Amino acid sequence: MGEAAVRAVREHGPPTVPQVQGYLLLKHLIDITYQESQKFLSEGNHENALPAALHSLRFNIEVYGLKSLELVPTYLILSEANIGLGDLAQAQEYLAQAQWTVLKSPECGSDVHHRLHRSLGRLYAAEGNFQESLYHLANDVYHASEAFGTDDIRVTGGYFQMANVFFHQNKRDIADSLYTEVTNIWHNHLSKLARMQLQPDKESSQTPVVPENAVEGTFDEVQKLEGLQILNAILDFREQSSKQDLVKVMKVLDTLTLFHFMCMNFKKAHELGKRVLWINEHFPDQAVPEILPILLEWIEVKLLSSK
């Protein structure tokens, strides 16, 4: 039981059944509105993210009060939505509220700090203050690494935003190295998952068995949308580069193949995997990723069986 709840019991006695039911309803509404606002934001739908986040904020205030750390994630979504809509002054107001709340909450963990710095980095980048943006994005990466580990996919968003800032500064070599780091983290993560799913069935004919719920527990809907957006942006960067590096193009294509495979989007995974093989066929000095032939073989069997 939180301190506010304990204080309320001491002052007013235990809550009645209707009060408990109302509290549980508000908690449910907080979860729904927050998840919806987060999903809209990940899709780039800032107009719909805004009202959902405002409802989430109102319900949070009713349950936790104006000074609670629980409000910070919603403040961050509101700031991101306003950045997307071009209202930087309003975004700054929400971020100021989030910063003040975090400052007054010494128990605040690295997971919250990394999201706060991510939003601040995006705001300063939108304002054209690249030096301040990079400062906050570096802190984003630091706190995300501390919270989840240096090789966790949740760290890649900070690296990706930093790369975008360097790209806008025309520091393309630095942006290139950061895009490579993002690709490597996603590729390593997805390769491990794919290998686990493609283990042969020892009880039968050594045919890999992939459960229908393979994507469950891999990453949530928001991570899925963010990961797809990031990897597609890096692929565009690689393909549009004046000095195209086929090794790096193949790495991103292979990563996207694994990504769509884990999301059970087999047609897209097959299409991207075939592009990797096409590059190898025309430029045989480029090595094919070890797992790719096995993965494509499984996908082709799956697609044929579904016809």
Side-chain angles (χ1 to χ4, degrees):
M1 184 181 291
E3 291 184 14
V6 171
R7 192 162 52 249
V9 169
R10 286 173 178 168
E11 292 176 1
H12 307 291
T16 63
V17 171
Q19 287 173 330
V20 171
Q21 290 174 336
Y23 172 81
L24 293 175
L25 175 60
L26 282 171
K27 287 276 288 179
H28 181 61
L29 289 172
I30 288 170
D31 291 339
I32 290 174
T33 52
Y34 179 75
Q35 288 168 12
E36 281 296 297
S37 63
Q38 200 175 32
K39 181 174 179 292
F40 283 133
L41 191 65
S42 299
E43 293 170 345
N45 189 343
H46 303 105
E47 288 185 357
N48 284 335
L50 198 57
L54 285 169
H55 282 299
S56 177
L57 181 64
R58 180 166 64 85
F59 297 139
N60 266 293
I61 291 171
E62 285 191 49
V63 172
Y64 300 110
L66 277 168
K67 300 179 181 179
S68 172
L69 192 60
E70 305 289 343
L71 275 61
V72 171
T74 305
Y75 282 139
L76 298 183
I77 288 183
L78 285 165
S79 70
E80 293 277 354
N82 277 285
I83 290 170
L85 293 170
D87 191 344
L88 302 186
Q90 186 62 64
Q92 178 64 65
E93 285 189 33
Y94 285 122
L95 280 175
Q97 288 285 344
Q99 280 184 291
W100 182 87
T101 305
V102 168
L103 184 65
K104 297 293 184 180
S105 306
E107 75 279 12
C108 181
S110 291
D111 57 331
V112 176
H113 278 286
H114 106 79
R115 285 183 285 172
L116 174 60
H117 283 291
R118 173 85 53 87
S119 295
L120 286 164
R122 284 175 56 82
L123 174 66
Y124 283 114
E127 291 177 342
N129 188 342
F130 296 133
Q131 184 175 353
E132 195 69 19
S133 174
L134 289 171
Y135 167 79
H136 286 289
L137 292 171
N139 275 284
D140 163 22
V141 171
Y142 169 78
H143 286 291
S145 298
E146 189 175 67
F148 311 115
T150 55
D151 296 327
D152 193 279
I153 57 173
R154 284 167 286 191
V155 178
T156 60
Y159 281 131
F160 178 71
Q161 295 298 331
M162 288 178 72
N164 291 342
V165 171
F166 282 119
F167 182 82
H168 285 300
Q169 291 181 308
N170 207 29
K171 298 178 180 178
R172 300 202 173 193
D173 288 345
I174 302 176
D176 182 284
S177 66
L178 288 168
Y179 287 142
T180 298
E181 180 67 14
V182 171
T183 304
N184 288 340
I185 291 173
W186 270 101
H187 189 272
N188 292 339
H189 177 72
L190 293 165
S191 293
K192 289 176 186 176
L193 293 171
R195 285 192 178 93
M196 289 170 58
Q197 299 298 343
L198 288 169
Q199 290 296 321
D201 181 3
K202 296 178 181 177
E203 305 258 331
S204 60
S205 59
Q206 300 296 306
T207 302
V209 176
V210 179
E212 291 300 320
N213 62 344
V215 74
E216 290 183 12
T218 304
F219 31 76
D220 60 32
E221 187 66 19
V222 172
Q223 289 171 336
K224 176 181 171 182
L225 291 167
E226 182 184 47
L228 188 59
Q229 180 189 45
I230 286 173
L231 292 171
N232 280 328
I234 294 174
L235 180 61
D236 287 341
F237 171 80
R238 296 289 180 218
E239 292 183 326
Q240 293 171 16
S241 175
S242 57
K243 297 179 181 178
Q244 196 174 95
D245 187 324
L246 289 176
V247 173
K248 292 178 179 178
V249 171
M250 286 178 69
K251 187 67 171 283
V252 185
L253 284 170
D254 187 46
T255 306
L256 278 164
T257 300
L258 293 165
F259 187 97
H260 285 288
F261 171 73
M262 290 308 304
C263 293
M264 317 298 279
N265 187 354
F266 298 130
K267 287 184 179 179
K268 189 65 178 177
H270 187 260
E271 173 196 324
L272 293 166
K274 285 294 187 181
R275 286 182 62 187
V276 176
L277 294 182
W278 183 91
I279 294 173
N280 175 254
E281 182 182 338
H282 290 78
F283 304 93
D285 57 322
Q286 311 299 329
V288 173
E290 181 184 351
I291 197 176
L292 185 62
I294 301 170
L295 186 146
L296 287 176
E297 180 184 355
W298 186 93
I299 290 175
E300 286 165 3
V301 171
K302 177 75 174 177
L303 292 175
L304 281 172
S305 66
S306 64
K307 287 184 177 179

